[in-house]
Amino acid sequence: MSTVRLDRFVCKSTELTKEEATQRIHQGMISVNGEAVTNEALQVHENNKVTLAGDTLTARAFRYILMHKEAGTICSNKDEAYPSLFNQITVDRVSELHIAGRLDVDTTGMVLITDDGRWSFNITTPSKKCEKVYRVGLRRPIADDAAAKFSHGISLQGEDKLTLPAVLEVLGPKEVLLTITEGKFHQVKRMFSAIGNRVVSLHREKIGTVVLDVDVGQWRYLTAEEVESF
Ligand code: URA
């Protein structure tokens, strides 16, 4: 760990939610190097002594990884009909890692991997409105009314609620970018199927503000700034 925001440090070293951690900080219950601090955005370093009501806090060292998934690998922790993408991640305790928003076996692109469940919740839960951008190849030319339909929300088979508003950007007759903030099972494929088209290629190129920037099959750790952005 280099530096991290105080609220995040408190979350990483306790079972408190971000709201609870912020509340404790505002109540003056947190001290950094012996001084009460009420600014949750203060950057703290691993050498700082942080206490909560007098007890010293020690942050767990969570891991945050960005990977470029290749087609033919699965987002499961073990091999099944296809090999797990975790085979390509050469870190200790791989079994403790999970994926924040799985991709289908034939989908390529960005996956975020972590052992911090609270952080991945911010990415996957629709109420946090974290945007995922997919580049989609289609079998048929995109219909003129597709953007309006996706913006309004559409009904997917087997779901009671409409999809949340999604943004469609047309790149060519059969190539589009689709931005969604939820991740129902096979969501993108089902959305295009619901408007009478079919996905022939699917690639996730962005999550939140983080853009895929490693080659296929490669991975890297997220920067502290990227981690904080979720
Ligand atoms: N939507 C899909 O249909 N598949 C994916 O892999 C991701 C989003």
Side-chain angles (χ1 to χ4, degrees):
M1 188 186 82
S2 47
T3 61
V4 64
R5 272 172 63 115
L6 181 58
D7 50 4
R8 181 120 198 95
F9 183 97
V10 174
C11 288
K12 283 174 82 171
S13 52
T14 64
E15 296 302 316
L16 297 174
T17 63
K18 193 167 182 212
E19 289 71 30
E20 290 165 344
T22 307
Q23 199 179 38
R24 301 293 192 285
I25 296 165
H26 289 172
Q27 287 167 344
M29 294 174 71
I30 306 285
S31 295
V32 178
N33 298 333
E35 294 212 9
V37 171
T38 53
N39 174 11
E40 72 274 18
L42 180 83
Q43 292 289 323
V44 292
H45 187 263
E46 58 187 353
N47 295 332
N48 294 150
K49 184 175 158 70
V50 182
T51 59
L52 166 60
D55 295 330
T56 302
L57 302 181
T58 311
R60 296 182 292 264
F62 288 128
R63 294 166 292 172
Y64 306 94
I65 289 169
L66 172 159
M67 184 174 193
H68 188 157
K69 178 187 175 296
E70 61 183 293
T73 58
I74 51 169
C75 289
S76 162
N77 283 65
K78 54 179 176 24
D79 297 342
E80 289 168 12
Y82 294 90
S84 159
L85 60 72
F86 284 101
N87 293 329
Q88 292 160 316
I89 300 180
T90 48
V91 298
D92 291 339
R93 298 174 286 112
V94 173
S95 63
E96 293 176 13
L97 298 169
H98 65 268
I99 292 176
R102 294 175 169 213
L103 295 178
D104 298 334
V105 61
D106 54 347
T107 304
T108 58
M110 192 197 294
V111 283
L112 296 177
I113 299 170
T114 185
D115 45 10
D116 182 350
R118 193 159 274 151
W119 183 80
S120 55
F121 179 79
N122 289 335
I123 296 168
T124 55
T125 196
S127 64
K128 300 284 181 186
K129 296 194 167 55
C130 173
E131 294 185 340
K132 292 98 186 169
V133 181
Y134 293 88
R135 183 174 288 261
V136 189
L138 297 167
R139 174 164 293 172
R140 283 176 279 281
I142 187 74
D144 292 340
D145 59 358
K149 284 183 174 164
F150 286 170
S151 163
H152 173 261
I154 55 166
S155 175
L156 297 181
Q157 221 175 6
E159 308 278 348
D160 350 316
K161 291 192 187 145
L162 296 184
T163 52
L164 292 174
V167 178
L168 184 80
E169 186 186 336
V170 177
L171 303 177
K174 295 184 184 176
E175 191 182 21
V176 297
L177 288 180
L178 180 68
T179 303
I180 58 175
T181 55
E182 51 188 344
K184 295 185 201 302
F185 185 61
H186 294 329
Q187 175 152 351
V188 177
K189 291 173 185 164
R190 288 162 72 207
M191 285 175 74
F192 283 97
S193 158
I195 60 161
N197 210 320
R198 197 183 166 101
V199 171
V200 294
S201 66
L202 187 55
H203 177 80
R204 185 160 65 195
E205 53 185 43
K206 195 173 171 197
I207 301 179
T209 56
V210 180
V211 179
L212 184 61
D213 59 0
V214 296
D215 288 340
V216 64
Q218 305 296 304
W219 63 273
R220 68 170 173 85
Y221 286 107
L222 292 187
T223 64
E225 195 180 332
E226 288 170 334
V227 172
E228 295 298 332
S229 72
F230 293 102

